Amino acid sequence: MNQRFRLTRSMQENNVEQTISLEECKDYFSSQPDFTYSQVLIVKGPESTMSIDGDFFKWKVMDVEIPFRLYMGDLYVAISHEAIVPKMIEIATDLRADIVEG
């Protein structure tokens, strides 16, 4: 099972913007290479396919798509590839967000 992380501003008392907005994410990720926005994430298993509705910013690294999901003002990502950690730290820094496990 992959470790999941949340990029959040909810713990920042002095930050007026305590949530990360969809508009902010769309602006930010549109300027980032290899990111696309989607309202559906398709997960294919050996015997079935599942569709998950939401706001996903998918990062294409090598032959893998890594979804960052915006949910209730926070971004979530699962660490399923070694390249995700530095990218997650970069995004958190740019969005002025903290990284929390869970």
Side-chain angles (χ1 to χ4, degrees):
M1 187 169 194
N2 297 329
Q3 207 173 5
R4 186 175 80 153
F5 287 88
R6 176 172 60 119
L7 284 64
T8 184
R9 295 180 186 146
S10 63
M11 298 178 296
Q12 300 174 6
E13 294 177 14
N14 60 346
N15 193 341
V16 176
E17 296 290 327
Q18 289 208 323
T19 61
I20 301 169
S21 72
L22 177 59
E23 294 76 26
E24 182 179 10
C25 283
K26 283 183 175 180
D27 287 344
Y28 175 76
F29 286 110
S30 69
S31 70
Q32 299 299 306
D34 304 322
F35 273 91
T36 57
Y37 172 72
S38 178
Q39 291 180 317
V40 177
L41 177 67
I42 307 291
V43 180
K44 295 181 181 180
E47 297 180 17
S48 64
T49 300
M50 178 173 57
S51 298
I52 303 169
D53 292 333
D55 294 300
F56 297 93
F57 298 90
K58 297 186 226 174
W59 180 41
K60 182 87 169 181
V61 58
M62 293 179 225
D63 291 337
V64 180
E65 256 188 3
I66 310 296
F68 286 77
R69 183 181 189 189
L70 181 66
Y71 181 73
M72 295 183 68
D74 294 330
L75 271 173
Y76 292 85
V77 64
I79 305 300
S80 58
H81 191 280
E82 64 186 30
I84 296 173
V85 173
K87 181 57 84 174
M88 175 182 65
I89 293 169
E90 175 188 327
I91 293 167
T93 301
D94 291 346
L95 293 177
R96 299 168 329 277
D98 299 310
I99 299 172
V100 179
E101 187 176 0

